Amino acid sequence: MKKILVIQNKRIGDVLISSVIANNIKKVFPQSEVTYFVYDYTTGVLENNPNIAKIISVKEKELKKFPKLLQTIAKIRKEKYDIIFDPYSKFQSRMICLFSGAEYRIGLKRAHKELKLPFYTHPISFLEHRSKNCGKAIEDRINMIASVFDLKEPEYAPKIFLTEAEKNYDRIDSLQKPVIMLGILGSTPQKSMPYEYMVEIIDFITSNYKGTILFNYAPHQKDEAQKVYEMCQNKDQINLDIYEDSIRGFIKLMNQCDLLVSNEGGSVHITKALEKPTFTIYSPYVNKEHWCSFEDGDHHDSIHLLEEKPDLFSSFTLEERRRIEQDPHSLYKQLTPEMIFEKLKPFLAHHLNNHGT
């Protein structure tokens, strides 16, 4: 039996996307025991996955302290893993790999960069471009397995596994349908479109469709969500009382909703894994090619300023994206509601035409 570790200390969407490693490595080693090492606030997307035996969770701030990192390295070395996958590929995870004693240490690196130390037995270069509809982030993770092991018929779609009780969630049964989830704020201010633009979108939906709007946001963003609500016209169609403050709670709730319109982030990846329609609004600095999993212009659609106004971007290198990330607001202002409606209106009509006013 192989002992396998996947290190993915990042946000919710990254962790869910990285669950494809477990789903696929079990095809190669059916008897293996797969453990995930992730931040504590992301474990909800991995729970109940039959391909994952254990989840080790750690607090983000803690792991960045050197004594905690040393302690973690010692613990992981003691576990004697045979294979470690490191899609995270940052200082902490590389050090864990280097001292792990694992026979296979498989990690991602930038194509033209040489690693200073032998962190990995198998350094795998990030792909230059995506070649599949799953988005480059998923393709990179599948490639980590396929480059080293004989992986037949890869499964690209991340999955969320619900219990029977979760499937029977009934808090929204009495609401006016359709129930539309709005990801009104991004996970960071840099991923949040201007409030007044989001309000225009909400007002359009409530003016044209009879259903109920629910808001999704992080628990610490409650005051911001209230501000957005106060700016909306048709408040009677917005239900602020139905809100879930945990990942599993959001999963149960979203599984009963009709679709999601959202700033790009973890909630979009969760909704796609639940096979519900999504419309994603990307921040100007986010590389859509990485995260646009399964977008087909039908079930999943999106908008990115780069596609609408390419002349606003001098280049879209990693360095340039980091520069935009410092202050994406002026570019966000260019992604006007009118531009968004060009794509959003047909998406809503397609998915909600049975519920129209």
Side-chain angles (χ1 to χ4, degrees):
M1 185 188 79
K2 297 275 186 212
K3 282 184 76 174
I4 300 171
L5 179 70
V6 181
I7 304 172
Q8 184 64 81
N9 301 119
K10 219 161 177 223
R11 295 185 183 278
I12 293 161
D14 305 84
V15 172
L16 177 55
I17 274 176
S18 288
S19 67
V20 298
I21 296 176
N23 304 343
N24 282 281
I25 200 66
K26 290 292 273 191
K27 292 170 180 281
V28 182
F29 301 109
Q31 300 305 312
S32 60
E33 179 188 89
V34 181
T35 299
Y36 268 65
F37 182 69
V38 296
Y39 290 141
D40 55 354
Y41 61 87
T42 67
T43 59
V45 291
L46 302 177
E47 284 168 23
N48 303 321
N49 185 327
N51 300 307
I52 299 172
K54 292 179 191 165
I55 301 170
I56 302 169
S57 68
V58 65
K59 288 189 167 21
E60 184 170 356
K61 283 181 181 164
E62 288 293 300
L63 192 62
K64 289 179 176 166
K65 294 175 185 167
F66 203 64
K68 179 68 177 176
L69 177 60
L70 292 178
Q71 196 185 349
T72 304
I73 288 169
K75 271 186 187 168
I76 284 172
R77 186 176 176 84
K78 205 172 164 187
E79 285 291 329
K80 295 187 165 58
Y81 290 103
D82 300 293
I83 303 167
I84 298 184
F85 289 98
D86 179 18
Y88 181 55
S89 308
K90 294 287 188 290
F91 173 74
Q92 292 101 328
S93 58
R94 284 178 172 173
M95 295 307 281
I96 290 168
C97 283
L98 183 61
F99 296 109
S100 65
E103 182 186 356
Y104 290 89
R105 305 187 305 276
I106 305 162
L108 290 169
K109 69 172 194 70
R110 285 169 75 183
H112 310 297
K113 270 204 157 179
E114 286 302 312
L115 297 173
K116 293 182 172 66
L117 290 166
F119 303 111
Y120 309 128
T121 56
H122 296 77
I124 310 295
S125 292
F126 284 102
L127 299 164
E128 286 292 315
H129 299 286
R130 70 190 179 109
S131 63
K132 293 186 169 52
N133 193 28
C134 64
K136 199 173 91 66
I138 291 177
E139 221 176 316
D140 275 325
R141 282 152 180 78
I142 298 290
N143 189 45
M144 289 178 80
I145 302 174
S147 298
V148 183
F149 303 109
D150 184 20
L151 174 62
K152 291 179 174 67
E153 295 176 22
E155 256 180 61
Y156 290 93
K159 294 186 178 75
I160 282 180
F161 297 86
L162 292 97
T163 64
E164 284 310 307
E166 287 174 327
K167 287 176 189 169
N168 294 326
Y169 181 88
D170 60 5
R171 275 191 75 191
I172 66 169
D173 287 3
S174 60
L175 297 184
Q176 166 86 44
K177 305 293 187 288
V179 180
I180 300 160
M181 182 66 78
L182 259 288
I184 55 165
L185 299 158
S187 53
T188 63
Q190 291 91 336
K191 282 189 173 186
S192 300
M193 66 184 299
Y195 293 179
E196 60 273 24
Y197 288 4
M198 182 52 82
V199 168
E200 275 196 56
I201 290 170
I202 297 165
D203 288 348
F204 171 80
I205 297 171
T206 54
S207 301
N208 289 280
Y209 296 94
K210 280 185 180 146
T212 307
I213 297 279
L214 302 180
F215 282 2
N216 180 51
Y217 50 89
H220 70 270
Q221 296 172 322
K222 189 172 183 180
D223 291 347
E224 307 300 306
Q226 190 67 38
K227 282 179 198 165
V228 174
Y229 173 75
E230 296 302 339
M231 293 163 73
C232 293
Q233 283 175 10
N234 308 307
K235 294 185 178 60
D236 57 321
Q237 279 181 255
I238 303 168
N239 188 318
L240 285 188
D241 296 329
I242 293 178
Y243 171 77
E244 295 288 348
D245 62 2
S246 69
I247 290 180
R248 288 314 287 192
F250 175 74
I251 288 168
K252 292 184 292 189
L253 174 54
M254 190 63 231
N255 193 47
Q256 301 299 331
C257 294
D258 291 281
L259 59 81
L260 172 80
V261 177
S262 179
N263 287 278
E264 189 270 328
S267 62
V268 174
H269 297 290
I270 288 171
T271 306
K272 286 175 178 176
L274 294 169
E275 298 180 356
K276 298 279 177 176
T278 65
F279 187 92
T280 309
I281 300 154
Y282 286 91
S283 172
Y285 79 88
V286 170
N287 190 336
K288 178 177 164 178
E289 188 181 57
H290 287 201
W291 306 110
C292 61
S293 51
F294 312 105
E295 288 183 10
D296 54 6
D298 177 20
H299 200 60
H300 303 297
D301 206 352
S302 68
I303 188 160
H304 193 301
L305 183 62
L306 179 65
E307 293 172 337
E308 307 303 316
K309 293 193 169 181
D311 51 314
L312 290 174
F313 295 81
S314 53
S315 75
F316 206 57
T317 60
L318 181 62
E319 290 68 30
E320 181 65 10
R321 293 202 307 274
R322 282 179 178 156
R323 195 187 64 72
I324 297 167
E325 186 180 359
Q326 300 306 310
D327 182 25
H329 196 71
S330 58
L331 281 177
Y332 246 139
K333 282 293 218 190
Q334 303 275 345
L335 187 62
T336 60
E338 292 70 32
M339 210 180 281
I340 294 168
F341 286 140
E342 287 281 313
K343 294 184 94 171
L344 180 61
K345 284 178 182 178
F347 173 84
L348 293 172
H350 175 53
H351 292 286
L352 304 178
N353 54 6
N354 298 333
H355 303 282
T357 50

